[in-house]
Amino acid sequence: MKQYRLEQADKNKFAVHQVIYSNSDIEMWYDWNTRLHDTKFTDQCFWIMCGEDRIGGVIKMNDTAMYPFIIPPFSDRQQLWSILLTCCVLSDRYA
C-alpha cells in the first residue's frame, strides 16, 4: 500500500515548482518574478509525497490549503485532493 505524507519544502524551490506546474497564469499576464514572489509569502510550503516521490505541493496554513499543484507524471486531481485532505487531517492531529 502506498504511503502518502506532507513534507516541509524550501519555499524558494517550492515557488519554482508551483509556478511551473500550477497552470494558474495561462494567459501569461504576470512575469516570472512576480509569480515567484506571490508564492513566497510564507514558509508553510509542503510537498505531497508518495513514498519517496513528489507528486505535488501545497501551501497549508492551519486548516487552509492554497496554491495546490500536481507534478507529472502524476495526473489524477481527484486522488490528489483525497490524499491532501487525508494528509492534512493527519498532520493536524499530530501537530
Side-chain angles (χ1 to χ4, degrees):
M1 185 167 162
K2 294 183 180 181
Q3 295 293 316
Y4 300 102
R5 69 183 191 288
L6 297 180
E7 182 178 288
Q8 185 79 45
D10 172 78
K11 73 177 180 179
N12 295 311
K13 289 181 183 179
F14 179 89
V16 171
H17 281 74
Q18 198 279 334
V19 170
I20 292 170
Y21 295 117
S22 69
N23 295 323
S24 64
D25 187 28
I26 59 174
E27 293 88 15
M28 293 186 234
W29 289 8
Y30 304 102
D31 67 27
W32 176 261
N33 289 324
T34 301
R35 293 183 65 204
L36 282 176
H37 181 70
D38 283 350
T39 308
K40 293 182 188 180
F41 69 93
T42 181
D43 61 353
Q44 296 302 303
C45 308
F46 295 90
W47 301 119
I48 303 168
M49 304 293 292
C50 176
E52 295 303 312
D53 298 321
R54 291 180 189 163
I55 61 171
V58 67
I59 292 177
K60 180 185 171 299
M61 298 177 72
N62 300 321
D63 60 352
T64 302
M66 298 177 281
Y67 297 111
F69 61 90
I70 295 174
I71 301 173
F74 188 82
S75 61
D76 188 335
R77 291 187 181 279
Q78 187 172 359
Q79 184 180 8
L80 178 86
W81 279 109
S82 177
I83 293 165
L84 182 58
L85 292 172
T86 301
C87 288
C88 286
V89 168
L90 290 174
S91 67
D92 287 344
R93 283 187 190 153
Y94 299 109

